[in-house]
Amino acid sequence: MESQEPLDGQEPVDGGRPVDGGQPAVGQDAFTRWVYGRPFFGGLWLTLGGAWILLTMKASIKVVMHVGMQGVAGYLLPTLMLLVGLLILFSPGQRLFYSIVGVMCSMGTWLTSNLGGFMVGLLLGVVGSVLTFGWLPEQDQRVSRRDQRKQGQQTAQDGPSYDTDRPENGTAGMTTGAPQTAQ
């Protein structure tokens, strides 16, 4: 629905709000568009999880509990988490592969890196990977069940609409409304 130009002393018909419920495109800056165009928080949390685990590996000897394999694997998995988190942020087209690698690396740090950075880094990595895996670009807003019921009741009250140009199976092209039962 196009908004009309306001007359003298009147406000715009749409109230200045966008139709789709988001911010108006004019009011968004470049960073905001960049953030909403990718699984930003999933990549951020995965990156922070990898960084946290690397920091706990460098903690003082009194805090560090080396459980499991020692050496390169303890540094390799959190470094991969950090790298995959950055790749999610800057290359979101491959987000599914990166999120699977991220969750596998996060779970592997349980054995190799101080119980996954004392569980904090492990949880950040797993949650970030799950957020990334579940992110869908340009998804329509969800309609609540209440709104769906209201639309269905309104359609039922208005009655079915008929398209007389192309009859189908003797129903004269019924396009909406409740399904008809055989009589």
Side-chain angles (χ1 to χ4, degrees):
M1 178 178 191
E2 296 180 8
S3 62
Q4 299 173 353
E5 291 292 322
L7 299 175
D8 292 304
Q10 291 183 349
E11 292 185 9
V13 175
D14 62 354
R17 286 178 274 134
V19 177
D20 62 349
Q23 268 189 321
V26 175
Q28 289 182 340
D29 60 343
F31 180 73
T32 304
R33 284 192 307 271
W34 184 80
V35 165
Y36 286 115
R38 63 198 66 246
F40 179 76
F41 291 105
L44 180 68
W45 286 17
L46 185 58
T47 303
L48 290 176
W52 177 262
I53 293 172
L54 284 174
L55 287 175
T56 60
M57 293 290 292
K58 294 291 186 181
S60 69
I61 233 30
K62 296 176 186 174
V63 177
V64 174
M65 333 176 317
H66 288 285
V67 175
M69 299 174 272
Q70 299 293 319
V72 176
Y75 293 102
L76 180 67
L77 292 179
T79 304
L80 281 174
M81 285 173 60
L82 193 112
L83 178 68
V84 166
L86 291 174
L87 284 170
I88 288 170
L89 291 175
F90 295 107
S91 177
Q94 301 296 323
R95 70 186 183 284
L96 296 177
F97 174 73
Y98 295 149
S99 66
I100 292 170
V101 171
V103 80
M104 297 301 279
C105 289
S106 297
M107 297 303 288
T109 60
W110 172 259
L111 298 174
T112 62
S113 306
N114 293 332
L115 299 175
F118 306 110
M119 293 293 293
V120 174
L122 183 137
L123 289 175
L124 281 172
V126 168
V127 170
S129 295
V130 169
L131 284 174
T132 300
F133 192 83
W135 181 79
L136 295 174
E138 299 176 10
Q139 183 179 14
D140 292 335
Q141 288 185 344
R142 294 186 61 172
V143 179
S144 68
R145 290 185 181 180
R146 179 180 299 154
D147 292 338
Q148 288 176 354
R149 267 195 306 267
K150 286 180 184 178
Q151 290 174 357
Q153 289 172 353
Q154 183 179 4
T155 303
Q157 288 174 355
D158 293 344
S161 63
Y162 294 98
D163 185 9
T164 57
D165 291 340
R166 50 185 188 108
E168 297 173 2
N169 298 335
T171 60
M174 185 177 358
T175 57
T176 60
Q180 299 291 323
T181 58
Q183 294 179 355

